[in-house]
Amino acid sequence: MLEINHLTKTYKGSNVKAIDDINITIEEGDIYGFIGPNGSGKSTTIKCITGIHNYEAGEIIFNGQNIKKDPIKTKSQIAYIPDNPDLYEHLSGIQYIDFVANIYNVGSAKNELIHKYATLFNIEKDLASSIKTYSHGMKQKVAIIAALVHSPKLLILDEPFVGLDPKATHDLKQVMKELCTQGCMIFFSSHVLEVVEKFCNKIAIIKNGKIIASGLTEEVKGNESLEDKFMELFEDEK
């Protein structure tokens, strides 16, 4: 379980809270959608969970452990895929994935997992090439494989489908569903509300650093589409 309790983050030199008293609970098997407009606090929240940003109030608990007290143990069970993969472009695709796998001490299953995902995402023949020659979509696929190779308990994705072709998008969704059946938790941010509505069992909607709605997807949207509910909430918040 991932518990975010009263999380607050203010950037230096500003009195504006990037995120303000956020509370979110994600359980094993959840595919949790996190939606909101640009600048609402989605990426800041994600970067606090992953340890990229510090925060001055609240706590983040992962499987009963405060992430600040044992960050290495926590990070060893988490994978993060940013919206714009920033890879070591002087390496080949396979060198980068192998490098990440070694950081996480992936054992004998490494080669099998790399082969499985590289074949699925149709990039196996390109892995020997330098990353600097890759398109955005190919870089995204390498970042995904590197994130999956250590079988994380929590997978965090920021706009994961940007740059992926329709088949790769479909395949990634299937992988995410498969991981959840094995007890993984998935937390992802997206602007594509139709995907979130169909794909996520739980959602949270954030505006100006505050959660304005959260819970089971069907309960949050009610009898409306998620897009209609989203627009209604933002009209009400004006």
Side-chain angles (χ1 to χ4, degrees), residues 2-200:
L2 176 72
E3 298 175 86
I4 303 172
N5 300 319
H6 304 291
L7 186 67
T8 299
K9 165 71 178 175
T10 304
Y11 286 111
K12 280 187 177 180
S14 172
N15 293 322
V16 177
K17 294 178 179 178
I19 47 177
D20 186 6
D21 197 32
I22 283 180
N23 295 279
I24 294 173
T25 299
I26 306 173
E27 299 174 295
E28 285 188 357
D30 280 344
I31 302 180
Y32 203 114
F34 195 39
I35 58 178
N38 292 335
S40 59
K42 299 189 302 297
S43 293
T44 299
T45 303
I46 285 173
K47 288 177 180 178
C48 287
I49 299 170
T50 55
I52 296 171
H53 286 340
N54 197 3
Y55 47 92
E56 61 268 13
E59 61 180 5
I60 301 173
I61 307 295
F62 180 63
N63 285 342
Q65 178 69 52
N66 189 309
I67 67 167
K68 283 190 174 183
K69 292 183 178 179
D70 197 346
I72 299 300
K73 182 179 179 180
T74 302
K75 291 176 184 179
S76 70
Q77 302 173 73
I78 295 176
Y80 168 47
I81 304 173
D83 57 341
N84 186 28
D86 189 11
L87 312 179
Y88 296 128
E89 297 199 350
H90 64 284
L91 299 177
S92 66
I94 189 62
Q95 286 174 329
Y96 178 81
I97 296 167
D98 195 58
F99 168 70
V100 174
N102 289 338
I103 289 176
Y104 284 96
N105 295 314
V106 180
S108 58
K110 175 178 67 176
N111 291 336
E112 182 181 344
L113 287 170
I114 292 172
H115 174 73
K116 171 186 174 180
Y117 292 124
T119 302
L120 177 67
F121 291 113
N122 194 30
I123 197 174
E124 193 169 24
K125 63 181 175 52
D126 299 302
L127 288 182
S129 300
S130 173
I131 291 174
K132 65 184 177 184
T133 67
Y134 287 3
S135 66
H136 177 85
M138 292 169 68
K139 290 178 182 177
Q140 187 77 345
K141 291 177 181 180
V142 168
I144 291 167
I145 296 169
L148 296 175
V149 75
H150 72 285
S151 302
K153 288 290 294 179
L154 171 62
L155 180 60
I156 301 173
L157 310 98
D158 196 352
E159 298 291 346
F161 307 116
V162 173
L164 293 181
D165 57 70
K167 182 183 182 303
T169 297
H170 171 78
D171 290 338
L172 178 57
K173 290 177 185 176
Q174 294 305 114
V175 168
M176 292 163 72
K177 288 178 181 178
E178 178 186 339
L179 290 172
C180 283
T181 64
Q182 299 167 4
C184 182
M185 296 167 278
I186 293 177
F187 183 59
F188 82 97
S189 166
S190 178
H191 285 123
V192 186
L193 300 185
E194 184 178 359
V195 170
V196 174
E197 179 177 356
K198 291 180 178 179
F199 193 54
C200 299

